[in-house]
mmCIF file of all heavy atoms in Angstrom:
data_model
loop_
_atom_site.group_PDB
_atom_site.id
_atom_site.type_symbol
_atom_site.label_atom_id
_atom_site.label_comp_id
_atom_site.label_asym_id
_atom_site.label_seq_id
_atom_site.Cartn_x
_atom_site.Cartn_y
_atom_site.Cartn_z
ATOM 1 N N LEU K 1 13.933 0.018 -5.536
ATOM 2 C CA LEU K 1 13.421 1.214 -6.211
ATOM 3 C C LEU K 1 12.517 2.048 -5.304
ATOM 4 O O LEU K 1 12.015 3.076 -5.727
ATOM 5 C CB LEU K 1 12.634 0.810 -7.477
ATOM 6 C CG LEU K 1 13.364 -0.083 -8.464
ATOM 7 C CD1 LEU K 1 12.440 -0.455 -9.614
ATOM 8 C CD2 LEU K 1 14.602 0.623 -9.004
ATOM 9 N N LEU K 2 12.320 1.606 -4.059
ATOM 10 C CA LEU K 2 11.330 2.227 -3.190
ATOM 11 C C LEU K 2 11.960 2.922 -1.984
ATOM 12 O O LEU K 2 11.325 3.067 -0.948
ATOM 13 C CB LEU K 2 10.340 1.155 -2.693
ATOM 14 C CG LEU K 2 9.637 0.342 -3.780
ATOM 15 C CD1 LEU K 2 8.748 -0.732 -3.160
ATOM 16 C CD2 LEU K 2 8.803 1.259 -4.687
ATOM 17 N N ARG K 3 13.162 3.415 -2.141
ATOM 18 C CA ARG K 3 13.884 3.952 -0.986
ATOM 19 C C ARG K 3 13.460 5.350 -0.578
ATOM 20 O O ARG K 3 13.737 5.793 0.528
ATOM 21 C CB ARG K 3 15.387 3.923 -1.278
ATOM 22 C CG ARG K 3 15.918 2.497 -1.330
ATOM 23 C CD ARG K 3 17.359 2.399 -1.712
ATOM 24 N NE ARG K 3 17.859 1.036 -1.721
ATOM 25 C CZ ARG K 3 18.980 0.650 -2.295
ATOM 26 N NH1 ARG K 3 19.746 1.545 -2.892
ATOM 27 N NH2 ARG K 3 19.344 -0.617 -2.263
ATOM 28 N N ASP K 4 12.764 6.073 -1.474
ATOM 29 C CA ASP K 4 12.400 7.443 -1.129
ATOM 30 C C ASP K 4 10.905 7.617 -0.962
ATOM 31 O O ASP K 4 10.379 8.731 -1.064
ATOM 32 C CB ASP K 4 12.929 8.409 -2.182
ATOM 33 C CG ASP K 4 12.374 8.122 -3.568
ATOM 34 O OD1 ASP K 4 11.839 7.022 -3.771
ATOM 35 O OD2 ASP K 4 12.491 8.998 -4.440
ATOM 36 N N VAL K 5 10.171 6.542 -0.708
ATOM 37 C CA VAL K 5 8.724 6.606 -0.434
ATOM 38 C C VAL K 5 8.415 5.771 0.798
ATOM 39 O O VAL K 5 9.210 4.916 1.200
ATOM 40 C CB VAL K 5 7.887 6.100 -1.632
ATOM 41 C CG1 VAL K 5 8.047 6.999 -2.843
ATOM 42 C CG2 VAL K 5 8.236 4.659 -1.970
ATOM 43 N N ASP K 6 7.254 6.062 1.409
ATOM 44 C CA ASP K 6 6.802 5.210 2.516
ATOM 45 C C ASP K 6 6.440 3.843 1.981
ATOM 46 O O ASP K 6 5.710 3.728 0.982
ATOM 47 C CB ASP K 6 5.566 5.831 3.173
ATOM 48 C CG ASP K 6 5.884 7.078 3.966
ATOM 49 O OD1 ASP K 6 7.067 7.288 4.296
ATOM 50 O OD2 ASP K 6 4.949 7.854 4.233
ATOM 51 N N VAL K 7 6.949 2.818 2.640
ATOM 52 C CA VAL K 7 6.727 1.448 2.168
ATOM 53 C C VAL K 7 6.222 0.570 3.324
ATOM 54 O O VAL K 7 6.792 0.610 4.419
ATOM 55 C CB VAL K 7 8.009 0.824 1.568
ATOM 56 C CG1 VAL K 7 7.717 -0.598 1.046
ATOM 57 C CG2 VAL K 7 8.557 1.688 0.446
ATOM 58 N N LEU K 8 5.192 -0.177 3.053
ATOM 59 C CA LEU K 8 4.748 -1.235 3.952
ATOM 60 C C LEU K 8 5.167 -2.548 3.329
ATOM 61 O O LEU K 8 4.624 -2.949 2.295
ATOM 62 C CB LEU K 8 3.216 -1.175 4.130
ATOM 63 C CG LEU K 8 2.577 -2.351 4.886
ATOM 64 C CD1 LEU K 8 3.154 -2.484 6.302
ATOM 65 C CD2 LEU K 8 1.060 -2.181 4.932
ATOM 66 N N ARG K 9 6.156 -3.195 3.916
ATOM 67 C CA ARG K 9 6.692 -4.430 3.340
ATOM 68 C C ARG K 9 5.994 -5.624 4.000
ATOM 69 O O ARG K 9 6.098 -5.820 5.227
ATOM 70 C CB ARG K 9 8.213 -4.512 3.555
ATOM 71 C CG ARG K 9 8.946 -3.352 2.907
ATOM 72 C CD ARG K 9 10.458 -3.573 2.920
ATOM 73 N NE ARG K 9 11.159 -2.344 2.558
ATOM 74 C CZ ARG K 9 11.322 -1.912 1.320
ATOM 75 N NH1 ARG K 9 10.840 -2.625 0.314
ATOM 76 N NH2 ARG K 9 11.981 -0.785 1.068
ATOM 77 N N LEU K 10 5.322 -6.419 3.194
ATOM 78 C CA LEU K 10 4.636 -7.598 3.710
ATOM 79 C C LEU K 10 5.532 -8.813 3.602
ATOM 80 O O LEU K 10 6.371 -8.916 2.703
ATOM 81 C CB LEU K 10 3.346 -7.821 2.911
ATOM 82 C CG LEU K 10 2.348 -6.650 2.938
ATOM 83 C CD1 LEU K 10 1.097 -7.020 2.145
ATOM 84 C CD2 LEU K 10 1.991 -6.253 4.357
ATOM 85 N N LYS K 11 5.357 -9.753 4.516
ATOM 86 C CA LYS K 11 6.209 -10.938 4.543
ATOM 87 C C LYS K 11 5.780 -11.988 3.536
ATOM 88 O O LYS K 11 6.521 -12.914 3.239
ATOM 89 C CB LYS K 11 6.186 -11.541 5.951
ATOM 90 C CG LYS K 11 6.823 -10.647 6.999
ATOM 91 C CD LYS K 11 6.824 -11.293 8.364
ATOM 92 C CE LYS K 11 7.474 -10.395 9.399
ATOM 93 N NZ LYS K 11 7.469 -11.015 10.754
ATOM 94 N N GLN K 12 4.564 -11.844 3.013
ATOM 95 C CA GLN K 12 4.090 -12.743 1.969
ATOM 96 C C GLN K 12 3.162 -11.981 1.045
ATOM 97 O O GLN K 12 2.681 -10.903 1.376
ATOM 98 C CB GLN K 12 3.352 -13.940 2.570
ATOM 99 C CG GLN K 12 2.059 -13.571 3.310
ATOM 100 C CD GLN K 12 1.432 -14.755 3.992
ATOM 101 O OE1 GLN K 12 1.849 -15.158 5.076
ATOM 102 N NE2 GLN K 12 0.445 -15.352 3.345
ATOM 103 N N ASN K 13 2.923 -12.550 -0.131
ATOM 104 C CA ASN K 13 2.069 -11.897 -1.116
ATOM 105 C C ASN K 13 0.609 -12.076 -0.721
ATOM 106 O O ASN K 13 0.077 -13.198 -0.772
ATOM 107 C CB ASN K 13 2.333 -12.508 -2.493
ATOM 108 C CG ASN K 13 1.549 -11.817 -3.592
ATOM 109 O OD1 ASN K 13 0.854 -10.834 -3.348
ATOM 110 N ND2 ASN K 13 1.658 -12.333 -4.809
ATOM 111 N N LEU K 14 -0.045 -10.999 -0.324
ATOM 112 C CA LEU K 14 -1.447 -11.023 0.062
ATOM 113 C C LEU K 14 -2.364 -10.592 -1.060
ATOM 114 O O LEU K 14 -3.580 -10.447 -0.852
ATOM 115 C CB LEU K 14 -1.674 -10.111 1.284
ATOM 116 C CG LEU K 14 -0.877 -10.481 2.542
ATOM 117 C CD1 LEU K 14 -1.242 -9.519 3.668
ATOM 118 C CD2 LEU K 14 -1.113 -11.919 2.957
ATOM 119 N N GLY K 15 -1.810 -10.375 -2.253
ATOM 120 C CA GLY K 15 -2.630 -9.956 -3.366
ATOM 121 C C GLY K 15 -2.990 -8.477 -3.303
ATOM 122 O O GLY K 15 -2.585 -7.762 -2.368
ATOM 123 N N TYR K 16 -3.734 -8.020 -4.288
ATOM 124 C CA TYR K 16 -4.126 -6.609 -4.332
ATOM 125 C C TYR K 16 -5.077 -6.282 -3.194
ATOM 126 O O TYR K 16 -4.895 -5.295 -2.471
ATOM 127 C CB TYR K 16 -4.769 -6.297 -5.683
ATOM 128 C CG TYR K 16 -4.929 -4.815 -5.931
ATOM 129 C CD1 TYR K 16 -3.834 -4.001 -6.141
ATOM 130 C CD2 TYR K 16 -6.205 -4.227 -5.964
ATOM 131 C CE1 TYR K 16 -3.971 -2.638 -6.361
ATOM 132 C CE2 TYR K 16 -6.355 -2.868 -6.202
ATOM 133 C CZ TYR K 16 -5.229 -2.077 -6.406
ATOM 134 O OH TYR K 16 -5.385 -0.730 -6.636
ATOM 135 N N ALA K 17 -6.092 -7.125 -3.001
ATOM 136 C CA ALA K 17 -7.052 -6.876 -1.943
ATOM 137 C C ALA K 17 -6.404 -6.909 -0.584
ATOM 138 O O ALA K 17 -6.630 -6.039 0.275
ATOM 139 C CB ALA K 17 -8.177 -7.905 -2.020
ATOM 140 N N GLY K 18 -5.537 -7.902 -0.361
ATOM 141 C CA GLY K 18 -4.864 -7.993 0.934
ATOM 142 C C GLY K 18 -3.913 -6.838 1.170
ATOM 143 O O GLY K 18 -3.769 -6.373 2.310
ATOM 144 N N GLY K 19 -3.278 -6.364 0.114
ATOM 145 C CA GLY K 19 -2.376 -5.222 0.243
ATOM 146 C C GLY K 19 -3.102 -3.953 0.611
ATOM 147 O O GLY K 19 -2.654 -3.188 1.494
ATOM 148 N N ILE K 20 -4.232 -3.703 -0.046
ATOM 149 C CA ILE K 20 -5.019 -2.507 0.279
ATOM 150 C C ILE K 20 -5.534 -2.604 1.715
ATOM 151 O O ILE K 20 -5.504 -1.631 2.483
ATOM 152 C CB ILE K 20 -6.194 -2.343 -0.696
ATOM 153 C CG1 ILE K 20 -5.704 -2.078 -2.115
ATOM 154 C CG2 ILE K 20 -7.137 -1.247 -0.238
ATOM 155 C CD1 ILE K 20 -5.120 -0.710 -2.342
ATOM 156 N N ALA K 21 -6.010 -3.782 2.105
ATOM 157 C CA ALA K 21 -6.535 -3.974 3.455
ATOM 158 C C ALA K 21 -5.434 -3.752 4.501
ATOM 159 O O ALA K 21 -5.678 -3.156 5.558
ATOM 160 C CB ALA K 21 -7.110 -5.372 3.597
ATOM 161 N N ALA K 22 -4.216 -4.212 4.208
ATOM 162 C CA ALA K 22 -3.104 -4.016 5.153
ATOM 163 C C ALA K 22 -2.729 -2.545 5.294
ATOM 164 O O ALA K 22 -2.292 -2.101 6.355
ATOM 165 C CB ALA K 22 -1.900 -4.830 4.682
ATOM 166 N N ALA K 23 -2.902 -1.782 4.221
ATOM 167 C CA ALA K 23 -2.536 -0.357 4.242
ATOM 168 C C ALA K 23 -3.578 0.502 4.944
ATOM 169 O O ALA K 23 -3.225 1.551 5.512
ATOM 170 C CB ALA K 23 -2.327 0.144 2.819
ATOM 171 N N LEU K 24 -4.837 0.118 4.920
ATOM 172 C CA LEU K 24 -5.910 0.984 5.370
ATOM 173 C C LEU K 24 -5.731 1.476 6.804
ATOM 174 O O LEU K 24 -5.989 2.664 7.082
ATOM 175 C CB LEU K 24 -7.266 0.275 5.204
ATOM 176 C CG LEU K 24 -8.516 1.117 5.428
ATOM 177 C CD1 LEU K 24 -8.531 2.349 4.530
ATOM 178 C CD2 LEU K 24 -9.773 0.290 5.234
ATOM 179 N N PRO K 25 -5.287 0.647 7.757
ATOM 180 C CA PRO K 25 -5.094 1.182 9.122
ATOM 181 C C PRO K 25 -4.032 2.282 9.215
ATOM 182 O O PRO K 25 -3.994 3.024 10.196
ATOM 183 C CB PRO K 25 -4.660 -0.060 9.917
ATOM 184 C CG PRO K 25 -5.166 -1.225 9.141
ATOM 185 C CD PRO K 25 -5.074 -0.807 7.701
ATOM 186 N N ARG K 26 -3.170 2.392 8.202
ATOM 187 C CA ARG K 26 -2.102 3.389 8.203
ATOM 188 C C ARG K 26 -2.498 4.676 7.485
ATOM 189 O O ARG K 26 -1.667 5.563 7.329
ATOM 190 C CB ARG K 26 -0.853 2.806 7.540
ATOM 191 C CG ARG K 26 -0.295 1.591 8.282
ATOM 192 C CD ARG K 26 0.815 0.917 7.507
ATOM 193 N NE ARG K 26 1.366 -0.208 8.239
ATOM 194 C CZ ARG K 26 2.609 -0.282 8.708
ATOM 195 N NH1 ARG K 26 3.435 0.720 8.529
ATOM 196 N NH2 ARG K 26 3.015 -1.358 9.368
ATOM 197 N N VAL K 27 -3.729 4.763 7.037
ATOM 198 C CA VAL K 27 -4.198 5.949 6.317
ATOM 199 C C VAL K 27 -4.879 6.899 7.290
ATOM 200 O O VAL K 27 -5.832 6.517 7.973
ATOM 201 C CB VAL K 27 -5.182 5.545 5.191
ATOM 202 C CG1 VAL K 27 -5.756 6.796 4.499
ATOM 203 C CG2 VAL K 27 -4.474 4.652 4.172
ATOM 204 N N GLY K 28 -4.385 8.145 7.345
ATOM 205 C CA GLY K 28 -4.945 9.137 8.239
ATOM 206 C C GLY K 28 -5.556 10.343 7.522
ATOM 207 O O GLY K 28 -5.916 11.309 8.170
ATOM 208 N N THR K 29 -5.672 10.256 6.204
ATOM 209 C CA THR K 29 -6.206 11.365 5.432
ATOM 210 C C THR K 29 -7.705 11.182 5.157
ATOM 211 O O THR K 29 -8.244 10.099 5.314
ATOM 212 C CB THR K 29 -5.445 11.493 4.100
ATOM 213 O OG1 THR K 29 -5.401 10.190 3.470
ATOM 214 C CG2 THR K 29 -4.044 11.986 4.286
ATOM 215 N N GLU K 30 -8.311 12.254 4.710
ATOM 216 C CA GLU K 30 -9.746 12.243 4.398
ATOM 217 C C GLU K 30 -10.084 11.250 3.299
ATOM 218 O O GLU K 30 -11.110 10.568 3.343
ATOM 219 C CB GLU K 30 -10.159 13.663 3.964
ATOM 220 C CG GLU K 30 -11.602 13.823 3.562
ATOM 221 C CD GLU K 30 -11.911 15.219 3.066
ATOM 222 O OE1 GLU K 30 -10.976 16.072 3.018
ATOM 223 O OE2 GLU K 30 -13.076 15.487 2.702
ATOM 224 N N PHE K 31 -9.222 11.178 2.293
ATOM 225 C CA PHE K 31 -9.449 10.288 1.156
ATOM 226 C C PHE K 31 -8.325 9.255 1.058
ATOM 227 O O PHE K 31 -7.188 9.511 1.470
ATOM 228 C CB PHE K 31 -9.491 11.078 -0.158
ATOM 229 C CG PHE K 31 -10.534 12.160 -0.202
ATOM 230 C CD1 PHE K 31 -10.181 13.460 -0.597
ATOM 231 C CD2 PHE K 31 -11.855 11.910 0.105
ATOM 232 C CE1 PHE K 31 -11.128 14.465 -0.674
ATOM 233 C CE2 PHE K 31 -12.817 12.915 0.033
ATOM 234 C CZ PHE K 31 -12.458 14.180 -0.359
ATOM 235 N N VAL K 32 -8.653 8.111 0.471
ATOM 236 C CA VAL K 32 -7.652 7.097 0.151
ATOM 237 C C VAL K 32 -7.845 6.681 -1.300
ATOM 238 O O VAL K 32 -8.970 6.395 -1.726
ATOM 239 C CB VAL K 32 -7.723 5.894 1.104
ATOM 240 C CG1 VAL K 32 -9.108 5.228 1.097
ATOM 241 C CG2 VAL K 32 -6.635 4.881 0.768
ATOM 242 N N ALA K 33 -6.761 6.688 -2.037
ATOM 243 C CA ALA K 33 -6.802 6.238 -3.432
ATOM 244 C C ALA K 33 -6.178 4.856 -3.537
ATOM 245 O O ALA K 33 -5.187 4.557 -2.856
ATOM 246 C CB ALA K 33 -6.036 7.215 -4.341
ATOM 247 N N TRP K 34 -6.771 4.018 -4.373
ATOM 248 C CA TRP K 34 -6.151 2.755 -4.766
ATOM 249 C C TRP K 34 -5.572 2.966 -6.162
ATOM 250 O O TRP K 34 -6.249 3.501 -7.047
ATOM 251 C CB TRP K 34 -7.157 1.627 -4.840
ATOM 252 C CG TRP K 34 -8.006 1.393 -3.635
ATOM 253 C CD1 TRP K 34 -7.984 2.051 -2.434
ATOM 254 C CD2 TRP K 34 -9.067 0.426 -3.540
ATOM 255 N NE1 TRP K 34 -8.948 1.552 -1.619
ATOM 256 C CE2 TRP K 34 -9.627 0.552 -2.249
ATOM 257 C CE3 TRP K 34 -9.588 -0.546 -4.401
ATOM 258 C CZ2 TRP K 34 -10.690 -0.250 -1.803
ATOM 259 C CZ3 TRP K 34 -10.634 -1.337 -3.973
ATOM 260 C CH2 TRP K 34 -11.177 -1.191 -2.680
ATOM 261 N N LEU K 35 -4.337 2.521 -6.355
ATOM 262 C CA LEU K 35 -3.715 2.686 -7.666
ATOM 263 C C LEU K 35 -2.851 1.482 -7.988
ATOM 264 O O LEU K 35 -1.996 1.095 -7.195
ATOM 265 C CB LEU K 35 -2.867 3.959 -7.699
ATOM 266 C CG LEU K 35 -2.271 4.338 -9.062
ATOM 267 C CD1 LEU K 35 -3.357 4.728 -10.054
ATOM 268 C CD2 LEU K 35 -1.263 5.467 -8.925
ATOM 269 N N ASN K 36 -3.107 0.873 -9.172
ATOM 270 C CA ASN K 36 -2.255 -0.230 -9.641
ATOM 271 C C ASN K 36 -0.839 0.270 -9.884
ATOM 272 O O ASN K 36 -0.630 1.423 -10.288
ATOM 273 C CB ASN K 36 -2.806 -0.787 -10.944
ATOM 274 C CG ASN K 36 -3.975 -1.733 -10.760
ATOM 275 O OD1 ASN K 36 -4.517 -2.245 -11.727
ATOM 276 N ND2 ASN K 36 -4.373 -2.004 -9.529
ATOM 277 N N ASP K 37 0.129 -0.611 -9.669
ATOM 278 C CA ASP K 37 1.520 -0.211 -9.892
ATOM 279 C C ASP K 37 1.871 -0.096 -11.365
ATOM 280 O O ASP K 37 2.918 0.409 -11.721
ATOM 281 C CB ASP K 37 2.480 -1.180 -9.189
ATOM 282 C CG ASP K 37 2.433 -2.594 -9.763
ATOM 283 O OD1 ASP K 37 1.524 -2.907 -10.557
ATOM 284 O OD2 ASP K 37 3.312 -3.401 -9.401
ATOM 285 N N ASP K 38 0.972 -0.569 -12.251
ATOM 286 C CA ASP K 38 1.211 -0.420 -13.700
ATOM 287 C C ASP K 38 0.349 0.699 -14.289
ATOM 288 O O ASP K 38 0.072 0.718 -15.488
ATOM 289 C CB ASP K 38 0.945 -1.737 -14.428
ATOM 290 C CG ASP K 38 -0.471 -2.274 -14.222
ATOM 291 O OD1 ASP K 38 -1.252 -1.633 -13.483
ATOM 292 O OD2 ASP K 38 -0.795 -3.341 -14.766
#
């Protein structure tokens, strides 16, 4: 379902905190939002 968005695919489940932490180095904008998938 994620073919038309930027996706960072992790090899294991790092949880919500681990997922946000993994994404942060890839953020180049002034602001970063965290949003639950639900």
Side-chain angles (χ1 to χ4, degrees):
L1 306 177
L2 304 177
R3 291 176 179 165
D4 60 344
V5 294
D6 289 342
V7 182
L8 171 59
R9 301 189 191 280
L10 302 182
K11 294 181 179 180
Q12 65 185 81
N13 184 4
L14 300 182
Y16 192 69
I20 295 288
L24 189 56
R26 298 172 178 245
V27 175
T29 50
E30 178 184 1
F31 302 130
V32 57
W34 307 358
L35 186 66
N36 281 178
D37 65 349
D38 58 359

